[in-house]
Amino acid sequence: MLRPLKKRFLFHFTGKRQTNRLDKPEWYLSQILTWVSDHGEFCDRFVQAVLVKAGVEGVQARLELMRGLVQIGIHKFQMDLPSLLSDDHLLTHAIEEVLLFDRELRAQGYPPFYPCILNVLTADHCFIRWIALEKKYADEKRDRLLTSPTAWKPQYQTEGDLDDMKIPECAEAFMMVLSAMTERYRHLELAVHRLKFVSLQQILLEDWRLCLQQILTARLEELDMVALCPIINAAHYVVQVLAQWSVQPFFVELLEACNEMQAKEKLRRQAAKHVNDTVDPEEALFLAASETPSDDSFPLPEYSTLQESVFEESAQLLEKLYTDTVLAIVDELVLDFKAKSKAYRREKWFCMPALNEREDAGLTPTAFPMLSRLRSNLQHLQEALAVPLFNSLWQEAARGLSLFLYEELILENFFSEGGALQLSFDMNRNLFSLFSTYTQKPENHFKEVKEACILLTMPHPVAWILQETLRAARQTDVVTGGTALEEQGVSFLTPSQAMHVLSKRNDLVHT
């Protein structure tokens, strides 16, 4: 059956025939697939019956036909390969067609352990060129993505989980490049070849991180917090995708394969060292020189056995990038709040009249600039940041603001009864309410301020008894002081901190 098909193949796809074109490998590959499809049923119905009648066991006629046709294709591709290697465009197109051919062949039941054209692509001289082309085109694609006018615009504008991630267009497209690359090398026979591609993907991820870092550095100089958001959204999205990949069986198997190869390589080096220590120096030099040099352009990745993914290191570096940037935004947010709060901190808290002597309780006028600016900043950041990143940001900001107000306002002033009540009103009814959009109990994120207000506003007799209890506990048992504080709803501040806050009340003896 194969002889006439091979003759027709050679007639059409060798020599100077118009059908024999380097830029059209799909012509002969599709012809092979057509013959497989056209003759498959005949093999199953008639040829297989002849083999069974002849007592030939373990041979499937359809698969043998496929094997023979693939061998013809392999020979043809090997003949064309020297010419293809001299032209990047032709080689790229040929690789794409070979991958499509192999995928279609597998779909028709071709066994993975049979000869295939992919084996030609993984020969050293061709494989190195293939990986180099992958990197070249990936780099070019990345540069185009990052310089696109719409690079940092959200990819999805509709409501839903994807929109909550605020995924920039360039990040989505970059991960599609890596995903497409994975599909191209997924069916390579040997794990060592797949791991070479993983190494390439790690290099591309590191280059991506460095590009983001450069853009971040440039934008940090502009002091525009919102302008940083799309960049850290991009890093965050890539980390989330890598986390999803880490649990896929394909990458789990690659990690295990790499660990096994590393263990074998370690044993080999130990054995080689032992041999070098026991043989003659000239003989050892000859053995070392006779080893075949390997390509180190894309070395196999090295992993700790504790790692959970082949991309764990890349994900950790990207996570550090966006985490550090979020903290930098928080620092800028707190610094801006500090600048706007100077007048508020200089209020005469020690002589403010009691609230019941006024007509109505209201926000301290000097608090309005700092609170309105804080509200505006948070709104803009919420609109620009991915939801998980913004949740982390506002919580860190709340902790920073609480510590600042506790140290720079409460501990630096003395409070009359009216001043303490006014401070409590400003904090509980105004500052905390700014964060009520993000959590049901915003006061829990301002623990220092919340508990300090409790201590400053509790009735004088209760405050005096608590102060005496804490003073006595300091001399005897600290646990008693902590229990007394918990009874008043103070569980975060230590007894010494509580004593310090109580000493800021005008109506208590300062100690």
Side-chain angles (χ1 to χ4, degrees), residues 200-215:
L200 170 59
Q201 289 178 315
Q202 291 175 336
I203 292 172
L204 293 174
L205 284 166
E206 176 61 11
D207 291 344
W208 169 260
R209 184 187 69 84
L210 292 175
C211 288
L212 295 185
Q213 185 66 65
Q214 291 174 356
I215 299 172

Side-chain angles (χ1 to χ4, degrees), residues 145-164:
L145 290 172
L146 292 175
T147 55
S148 169
T150 58
W152 303 108
K153 291 185 178 180
Q155 179 74 5
Y156 304 98
Q157 298 290 347
T158 57
E159 295 183 0
D161 293 340
L162 291 176
D163 187 53
D164 289 343

Side-chain angles (χ1 to χ4, degrees), residues 12 45 67 85 102 232 236 253 262 266 298 301 317 421 438 493 509:
H12 289 291
R45 292 182 59 185
R67 187 212 294 261
L85 289 173
D102 184 77
I232 58 178
H236 177 259
E253 292 172 1
Q262 286 179 0
K266 184 177 180 180
F298 301 95
L317 291 172
L421 291 173
Y438 320 127
L493 296 179
V509 178

Side-chain angles (χ1 to χ4, degrees), residues 442-453:
E443 64 275 7
N444 290 342
H445 297 274
F446 294 84
K447 293 181 179 179
E448 295 93 346
V449 173
K450 170 192 170 184
E451 295 187 358
C453 287

Side-chain angles (χ1 to χ4, degrees), residues 390-413:
F390 181 73
N391 287 338
S392 174
L393 182 142
W394 74 255
Q395 292 176 31
E396 289 293 334
R399 282 191 285 270
L401 293 174
S402 179
L403 187 61
F404 164 70
L405 291 170
Y406 173 74
E407 294 178 347
E408 302 296 330
L409 171 60
I410 296 173
L411 297 185
E412 294 296 325
N413 287 280

Side-chain angles (χ1 to χ4, degrees), residues 352-362 364 416-426 457:
M352 281 188 181
L355 289 177
N356 56 11
E357 298 178 7
R358 302 180 179 183
E359 295 182 359
D360 293 305
T364 304
S416 64
E417 180 183 355
L421 291 173
Q422 181 63 51
L423 175 68
S424 179
F425 179 85
D426 293 342
T457 57

Side-chain angles (χ1 to χ4, degrees), residues 458-469 488 505 507-508:
M458 63 175 51
H460 176 265
V462 177
W464 182 82
I465 294 173
L466 180 60
Q467 186 183 50
E468 292 300 315
T469 302
Q488 301 300 324
R505 293 178 57 134
D507 56 356
L508 292 178

